[in-house]
Amino acid sequence: MSRTPLPDSASVVVIGGGVIGTSIAFHLAEAGVTDVVLLERGELGCGSTCRAAGGVRAQFSDKLNIALGARSLEAFTRFGRRPGQEIDLHQVGYLFLLSTRDDVAAFERDVKLQNELGVTSRMIDVNEARRLSPVIDTEGVLAAAFSPDDGHCTPESVVLGYANAARRRGAVLRTGTTVLGLERSGDRVTAVVSDQGKIATDTVICAAGAWSAAIGDMAGVELPVQPLRRQVMFTEPMPDLPPVVPFTIDFATSFYFHREGRGLLLGMSDPDQEPGFHLDYAEDWLPRLGEAIERRAPRLLDVGLRPGWAGLYEVTPDHNALLGRAEKTVNFLYATGFSGHGFLQAPAVGEVIRDLYLEREPFLDVSPLSASRFAPGAFTRPETHIV
């Protein structure tokens, strides 16, 4: 079957059709940019987005992440009206379980900052943590942090909502289209070359997630992003599972779970995981996951477990996003490197990139998230609330 040819030109070409790219396309089209083209080499959301755990939160240690998370939470609560899509949002809260005095002190400091920025998080004692998340064993837990407005929703539905709304406003979203190179002249990108044709363009926006470093190289822009495999599993149905289960995280181990249907989705980082495009599900992490379950949620050992999937984090050295306009290639913008936080920050990021493109001031100064912060001697701002 023949395909409709790509447009010969576009004001903006967005590279990447995950939640970040579709959010950007929607926000640009909504703002009246009539010739937005988004290119995705697979299907929309097929990269990291469809393999995300779906958590949405504003509990972070860095004020920029707090602001991006809070702004996005507001957008998620209104998603049914704008852009117009049911996303199965469950605001059951995020619960961080803390088992060292240093972590308690750090979260006390971070909760104070979150409160100053309007986030309704709070420190709670062990008894309240057990009441909120009855699955857990609290032995060794000293305190916890909880924010009732956080929760989780369905990533695929968010992508669908943004994509459909962008198309209704005139954007062209093309799947099955691989970017092969960028043509440049002086300090500008002049065209995007794909396996389906070439598009002359005034602006390129990289939203390619774990694949962003290669796109940056095409533009002469260093984007320090590494792909890192993360995996999830699921329990079998649990008849006695409470109807409301917060997104619960054992901070010391990064073991987490939230309700998914009649059971739980489980995840955990693997400190031994080598960077790379490892998209296959592997069982190497299971012994460490089993130890974490036995320690923090031992009743799950009596529940059947089934494999889930593997996905990729797009990790930067300080676990903060790369957001901004390139300094040397002036019509190349980027939104990548979210280190596991891209899904939950996507609504706010779409706003920010829209405003940077339109050369107006975003709701938040994101200049500290420029890729130039990794230049020798520059200041970085590590995020510590990593899951």
Side-chain angles (χ1 to χ4, degrees):
M1 183 174 66
S2 62
R3 303 185 66 183
T4 303
L6 286 175
D8 293 329
S9 63
S11 293
V12 184
V13 176
V14 180
I15 301 174
V19 69
I20 297 295
T22 53
S23 173
I24 292 169
F26 162 72
H27 282 90
L28 287 172
E30 183 189 49
V33 184
T34 57
D35 54 343
V36 176
V37 175
L38 179 149
L39 303 180
E40 164 57 47
R41 68 178 186 175
E43 296 299 321
L44 295 179
C46 73
S48 297
T49 300
C50 68
R51 296 174 173 86
V56 292
R57 63 177 166 121
Q59 283 192 84
F60 287 97
S61 63
D62 185 284
K63 65 180 182 180
L64 296 184
N65 286 328
I66 296 169
L68 290 168
R71 183 83 163 197
S72 295
L73 271 174
E74 293 178 7
F76 284 127
T77 63
R78 302 189 307 268
F79 212 86
R81 301 188 300 276
R82 174 183 176 268
Q85 175 73 31
E86 173 54 49
I87 59 173
D88 202 25
L89 175 64
H90 298 277
Q91 289 184 278
V92 294
Y94 256 65
L95 177 68
F96 284 90
L97 306 175
L98 311 172
S99 53
T100 72
R101 294 190 182 280
D102 286 347
D103 285 343
V104 172
F107 270 75
E108 287 174 341
R109 180 177 61 251
D110 297 338
V111 164
K112 181 180 179 182
L113 175 60
Q114 292 158 18
N115 294 166
E116 291 172 355
L117 296 174
V119 176
T120 59
S121 55
R122 66 181 189 272
M123 299 297 296
I124 62 175
D125 62 23
V126 173
N127 290 332
E128 186 173 359
R130 187 187 299 111
R131 180 182 62 79
L132 288 169
S133 190
V135 174
I136 63 174
D137 183 330
T138 56
E139 183 178 356
V141 175
L142 302 178
F146 180 68
S147 183
D149 294 332
D150 297 345
H152 55 90
C153 58
T154 303
E156 297 90 337
S157 295
V158 174
V159 169
L160 181 64
Y162 278 140
N164 287 342
R167 285 178 169 133
R168 288 195 300 269
R169 289 161 174 82
V172 174
L173 280 64
R174 283 292 295 268
T175 58
T177 303
T178 300
V179 172
L180 303 176
L182 301 178
E183 293 185 354
R184 295 155 56 193
S185 177
D187 62 354
R188 302 182 68 85
V189 176
T190 58
V192 177
V193 180
S194 80
D195 60 353
Q196 302 296 320
K198 182 169 74 171
I199 307 174
T201 186
D202 297 327
T203 299
V204 172
I205 301 175
C206 176
W211 294 265
S212 293
I215 302 299
D217 287 344
M218 295 176 188
V221 178
E222 184 176 0
L223 297 176
V225 174
Q226 279 193 323
L228 190 68
R229 177 167 55 189
R230 294 293 296 269
Q231 303 187 126
V232 300
M233 294 189 73
F234 298 90
T235 70
E236 296 294 344
M238 300 172 62
D240 59 344
L241 191 64
V244 175
V245 178
F247 197 125
T248 304
I249 302 163
D250 183 41
F251 190 66
T253 62
S254 82
F255 165 58
Y256 66 84
F257 59 82
H258 70 66
R259 180 158 187 156
E260 188 76 14
R262 297 166 55 203
L264 296 174
L265 176 151
L266 314 175
M268 185 178 175
S269 65
D270 181 357
D272 296 330
Q273 177 64 60
E274 292 291 330
F277 291 97
H278 306 295
L279 290 168
D280 57 311
Y281 183 87
E283 297 185 348
D284 300 356
W285 71 312
L286 293 181
R288 183 177 279 108
L289 176 65
E291 292 174 3
I293 293 174
E294 184 176 19
R295 176 188 179 198
R296 192 53 68 216
R299 59 182 288 194
L300 298 184
L301 297 176
D302 299 324
V303 179
L305 298 177
R306 52 189 173 89
W309 58 70
L312 296 176
Y313 271 21
E314 47 186 282
V315 181
T316 63
D318 63 2
H319 297 282
N320 273 305
L322 303 173
L323 287 177
R325 181 185 294 272
E327 295 180 352
K328 295 182 179 179
T329 307
V330 295
N331 64 338
F332 182 83
L333 283 73
Y334 49 84
T336 186
F338 292 93
S339 304
H341 310 138
F343 173 67
L344 68 90
Q345 294 182 347
V349 168
E351 289 187 48
V352 168
I353 296 299
R354 172 201 65 198
D355 291 341
L356 292 178
Y357 169 76
L358 295 173
E359 297 186 341
R360 63 193 195 193
E361 187 174 345
F363 79 95
L364 181 69
D365 178 11
V366 296
S367 58
L369 298 178
S370 166
S372 63
R373 72 182 186 271
F374 295 110
F379 173 75
T380 59
R381 44 189 313 128
E383 170 60 52
T384 60
H385 288 211
I386 304 300
V387 179

